Structure formats: C-alpha cells, structure tokens
Amino acid sequence: MGGGELHADEIDIDVPGVRRLIAAQFPQWADLPLERIESAGTANAMFRLGGAMAVRLPRVAGAAGDVEKEHRWLPRLAPSLPVAVPVPLVMGMPDEDYPWPWAVYRWLDGETPVVGHIADPGLLAKDLAEFVAALRRIDPEEGPASYRSEPLAARDATTRAAIGELRAVVDADAATAAWEAALNAPAWPGPAVWIHADLQPGNVLIADGRLSAVIDFGCVGLGDPAVDLIAAWYLLPHEAHGVFRSALERDDAAWERGRGWALSIALDELRYYRDTNPVMASIARRVIHAVLTCT
C-alpha cells in the first residue's frame, strides 16, 4: 500500500491494496471502479467504490476504533438527525497486510464548505444549529465518551505549549489572553450530552448552499455541548455567528468555552500539520485569526 504520509506511524494505503482487500472480503464488488478521494482528512484514507459507495480505512492505530464505534452508533443516531450521515454497509477485517478494521459506507453527495464562498451563511448557520441541537437531544444512555470529552482545563499544558511553539506565526499574547478567558468561563453544569466534536469543513457537506450531510463521526460521544460550538469559527463567517448562537440559545459561558475549544484545536492542528498538510494548516490559521479577532 502507499500514499502521502501525514503521521510518522501511519499505514500506507493505495488503490491496489484496497482493491485486494475488497476482492478478498467482498468479492461481489471486486470489479467496481475504485479511486482515491483526495481530502484534507488526516485520520482515514478515503476511496470511492463504484458510484454509490465509499471505502474508509484508518491511517493510524488511534483511528482504528472509530470503525466499530460508527457501526454501532450511527444507526442509532441517524433517525434523530435532520441531515444525512454515513450509512455503514459492511465492516472489513484486518489481514496480513492491513492491521485494522475498515468499512464501506453509502456514498454521500455534496461539497465541503469554504468560508467566504458560502452563498447564504445565515441559512447554513441555522442548519448547523439544527443539527447540533438534534444531536444533543438524543438519549445519552450508554453513549461513549467523546474523543473530546475532557474539561477544557485538561488541555491547558498542551495549548500553552502550542502557543509557545507557534509564537513566530500567531499573536502569542492575544492567544494566551483568549485561552485564559475560556479557562475562566464557568464549567458546563449539566450532564454530558451527545456531541459530534469535530465540526470542521472536511466533515460536513453542503448542497445548494444548505447543509446536506455531516460525516466522520470518529469523535462522536458524550461531552460538554460547548465543544460543538467550534462550528462557528471553523465553518461560518463572523456575520453568521449571531444566527448560530441565537438558534442554540447558548449563554456567554458556553460561547467562551466553545471559543476556547476552537482555539485549542486549531493551535494543535497548526503545530502538527504546518509542514505536512497545507489545507489543514491553512484552515487552522484562519480559525486562530477568527478566534482572536471575533468574539
């Protein structure tokens, strides 16, 4: 297998290797066209199988558990959500050349949004808020902890380290002040709720300017609802923030924590991907700038 490396410990994955896995485990699809899908995604390699399916394979061990998580939880979550989400069709097994479970999903049409090129940001803001609110209302019983289930304060050391390392490319004083403001915001007082936890451009699809699907539920689980407020800075221009916030009825404390989550995640992404993934690095820079200039 082969492909551009984003992580020192990742598995290389290429079309011949994926075709071999499909032929061995799902021979009914062996003759379908297969092509790699280029994306800014970092945890999985994506391929289109025929016209109606997508194949997703974890690049690193840390993403391997996401396959079983999605197969278990997406069918439970999907009926309560207002837009399409991935439909798992089959789960592939490891073999001598590929070490982890992998999956085939139903293909979802749409485009990833580009901030500044969204026809009606207000409508997208309402759609995103509707999705986030619907996810939060789902019964949390037996739900797993989100990948980002920790309190914001648990990220303090790594966030400050990222600010220090990126001092030459970000306004370190402004970033520190924004981070400390988020840390000082009151904590979420309620029980953990369902959150997607990774509402970034590569994980949502739009069609005709409206939200059509939310994808990649590898981070999904229970946590502070403020985590999903990162969508404001990752997916929306500043003028649409008020629409998004009002639709969710978020108080000042939640908004401040969401701002802190967006800053912390973007700093970590910029530090990690600035030399290996230009798209992710560019998004992270834009988010950091938005957090520091738009409250």
Side-chain angles (χ1 to χ4, degrees):
M1 295 187 172
E5 289 190 0
L6 297 175
H7 314 279
D9 57 344
E10 76 175 71
I11 295 291
D12 290 341
I13 305 167
D14 61 13
V15 168
V18 176
R19 188 174 294 284
R20 182 190 55 76
L21 284 170
I22 292 170
Q25 300 186 33
F26 307 109
Q28 69 273 27
W29 298 328
D31 294 329
L32 292 176
L34 180 72
E35 62 176 327
R36 190 182 187 107
I37 304 300
E38 298 301 330
S39 75
T42 61
N44 300 277
M46 294 286 296
F47 298 79
R48 187 164 188 174
L49 178 62
M53 291 177 285
V55 185
R56 193 169 71 157
L57 302 95
R59 290 175 177 262
V60 293
D66 298 347
V67 175
E68 294 185 52
K69 180 199 282 189
E70 289 194 341
H71 271 250
R72 177 180 180 184
W73 290 105
L74 278 172
R76 171 175 166 177
L77 300 176
S80 300
L81 298 175
V83 296
V85 299
V87 177
L89 300 176
V90 293
M91 182 162 59
M93 293 294 106
D95 69 2
E96 65 276 8
D97 294 320
Y98 184 78
W100 306 307
W102 51 282
V104 180
Y105 298 82
R106 185 176 299 160
W107 180 262
L108 291 172
D109 287 318
E111 300 178 349
T112 56
V114 178
V115 176
H117 299 275
I118 299 169
D120 191 332
L123 283 178
L124 180 59
K126 290 178 181 178
D127 292 343
L128 286 165
E130 184 181 359
F131 170 82
V132 169
L135 186 59
R136 290 177 185 171
R137 288 193 296 267
I138 297 174
D139 186 351
E141 184 178 2
E142 298 182 358
S146 165
Y147 173 72
R148 294 185 169 121
S149 63
E150 73 272 25
L152 201 58
R155 302 175 66 91
D156 188 41
T158 56
T159 300
R160 291 183 190 273
I163 292 172
E165 187 174 328
L166 296 168
R167 184 172 292 273
V169 294
V170 303
D171 185 334
D173 292 339
T176 300
W179 176 242
E180 290 178 348
L183 291 178
N184 289 329
W188 167 242
V193 298
W194 280 101
I195 55 175
H196 180 276
D198 203 22
L199 290 173
Q200 301 200 30
N203 294 336
V204 304
L205 299 175
I206 61 174
D208 299 322
R210 305 297 298 269
L211 183 67
S212 62
V214 176
I215 59 178
D216 194 342
F217 280 67
C219 295
V220 78
L222 306 183
D224 178 354
V227 177
D228 277 343
L229 298 181
I230 69 169
W233 293 272
Y234 269 92
L235 293 165
L236 299 169
H238 178 60
E239 61 266 24
H241 285 193
V243 175
F244 181 67
R245 181 176 177 175
S246 296
L248 287 170
E249 299 180 345
R250 292 297 90 194
D251 59 25
D252 290 345
W255 193 254
E256 197 63 63
R257 293 196 309 277
R259 185 169 174 249
W261 273 102
L263 177 63
S264 180
I265 294 167
L267 286 166
D268 195 43
E269 289 171 342
L270 181 56
R271 174 172 62 170
Y272 191 87
Y273 293 114
R274 57 180 164 168
D275 297 324
T276 59
N277 191 323
V279 175
M280 284 291 289
S282 177
I283 292 170
R285 287 175 185 269
R286 181 187 57 74
V287 171
I288 294 166
H289 177 76
V291 167
L292 299 186
T293 58
C294 306
T295 57

